[in-house]
Amino acid sequence: MLRGLYTATAGMMTQQHRHDTVTQNIANLNTTGYKQVESVARSFPEVMVALQNGDQGRDNRQVGKLNTGVFAEESISMMVQGDVTESNSSDDLALISDIQVANPQGGNIAFDDSGKAVQANGQTIYKPQAFFNVENPAGGIGYTRDGDMHLSSDGRLVTSMNQNVLGQDGQPIVLAGSMDDYWVRENGTIFNKATGAASGRIGITVAEQPNGLTRDGEGLFAEKTQGAGSLRAATNEDAIEVKQGFLERSTVDAAQSMVDLTAALRAYEANQKVVQFYDKSLDKAVNEVGRV
């Protein structure tokens, strides 16, 4: 009996985590460059159920497998290209990434809508993604798709979270005047409109394994384990384009998020009723059956 109580409780905890994940997505519905997060659940190890005394002379006849609960294993960011909308502001920069991966059998690998492809041998491959290089307040380099940028009072190009945007040389980009005085080419090179001289180039990093990156707060991603994201500097051969006057929208699907939120709530309530049922059964066993 207690096994069912623990199973229902584990289900409640999993649905709570799922609910929190969807709520986070909805809260960032209008956050520039935000990548939707999906909650991944995994069942506890299965156990084989068998008859205790066998059946018709057969010892321990197998009945079937039984899962003894479920838990939220992790939250995975959906690293896919978001919709790009025009903002008509010189400060805004959108990063469009469509990096292809060659298929050993010829052509390019076809990725699904989640940016994932499963090979015939079972190997999972994720579509590479590009990120702006910014200075991580915690130290080191952070990676972001937040193109909502502006020039600070001292001329530093910063994100909406006031993080320094780094150039290819790893140093903060400093410009004079306003972004209206500059135009940004597709490869991230910044040119002065008056003189035509290059004033720097925005640092862009390609993550060959974007799901190896972890969220580091304030819209940043980081490579906590070296090599997990297989990072490299972007090259002119990569299908990457920087568009000035545009912003990348969040990848959150508002309608699907509301469906997931309702489903998590209903599943939580169902598990809650199971817990209440077991509680009443135990109460009857202790206070009534035990009295006899």
Side-chain angles (χ1 to χ4, degrees):
M1 183 186 295
L2 292 179
R3 177 183 296 168
L5 182 63
Y6 292 138
T7 301
T9 303
M12 291 176 63
M13 296 173 64
T14 298
Q15 295 305 323
Q16 181 179 1
H17 182 271
R18 181 185 176 193
H19 182 278
D20 293 343
T21 300
V22 178
T23 303
Q24 175 185 332
N25 289 333
I26 295 176
N28 288 279
L29 186 63
N30 296 317
T31 301
T32 304
Y34 178 81
K35 300 304 177 185
Q36 179 172 311
V37 180
E38 296 288 344
S39 179
V40 178
R42 183 167 65 88
S43 63
F44 292 150
E46 294 180 335
V47 295
M48 182 64 70
V49 180
L51 292 177
Q52 185 176 1
N53 296 320
D55 181 37
Q56 297 180 354
R58 298 170 58 188
D59 294 335
N60 298 328
R61 182 170 67 87
Q62 293 181 353
V63 177
K65 293 182 178 181
L66 172 70
N67 284 320
T68 55
V70 66
F71 68 98
E73 187 173 29
E74 59 180 331
S75 296
I76 298 178
S77 300
M78 306 299 290
M79 294 293 193
V80 294
Q81 176 70 48
D83 295 333
V84 175
T85 57
E86 189 171 6
S87 65
N88 294 316
S89 173
S90 300
D91 293 330
D92 297 333
L93 300 174
L95 196 57
I96 301 177
S97 173
D98 189 22
I99 303 172
Q100 301 297 320
V101 177
N103 192 327
Q105 282 72 40
N108 294 321
I109 294 176
F111 296 94
D112 60 20
D113 293 338
S114 66
K116 180 179 66 176
V118 180
Q119 300 294 83
N121 59 3
Q123 180 186 8
T124 301
I125 299 177
Y126 295 95
K127 187 173 185 178
Q129 294 293 333
F131 298 86
F132 291 117
N133 295 350
V134 299
E135 191 173 42
N136 193 329
I141 299 177
Y143 309 98
T144 185
R145 297 284 292 209
D146 181 9
D148 184 8
M149 302 178 182
H150 64 275
L151 290 181
S152 63
S153 58
D154 56 355
R156 292 177 293 109
L157 183 62
V158 297
T159 66
S160 60
M161 302 302 295
N162 207 37
Q163 302 145 348
N164 290 330
V165 179
L166 303 179
Q168 276 192 322
D169 57 359
Q171 299 300 315
I173 296 176
V174 180
L175 304 171
S178 70
M179 284 300 292
D180 292 330
D181 302 324
Y182 300 88
W183 63 278
V184 183
R185 285 188 57 187
E186 291 80 0
N187 62 0
T189 303
I190 303 173
F191 287 92
N192 188 304
K193 291 181 179 179
T195 64
S199 302
R201 183 172 177 177
I202 299 174
I204 299 175
T205 292
V206 173
E208 299 285 1
Q209 297 293 333
N211 286 70
L213 301 179
T214 58
R215 292 181 180 270
D216 212 21
E218 298 185 339
L220 295 183
F221 292 92
E223 189 183 42
K224 294 298 184 181
T225 303
Q226 188 174 6
S230 298
L231 306 179
R232 63 174 176 82
T235 65
N236 292 331
E237 286 71 34
D238 291 316
I240 300 172
E241 181 183 359
V242 179
K243 297 194 68 172
Q244 187 176 20
F246 291 80
L247 285 175
E248 180 185 3
R249 296 177 57 189
S250 164
T251 59
V252 176
D253 186 332
Q256 185 60 48
S257 294
M258 292 306 299
V259 172
D260 293 341
L261 197 66
T262 303
L265 178 61
R266 297 300 183 217
Y268 184 92
E269 291 176 343
N271 282 285
Q272 186 180 39
K273 290 185 181 299
V274 173
V275 172
Q276 292 173 345
F277 169 78
Y278 274 108
D279 180 63
K280 291 180 180 179
S281 298
L282 291 173
D283 176 69
K284 193 175 287 287
V286 173
N287 297 314
E288 296 184 19
V289 177
R291 188 179 305 167
V292 177

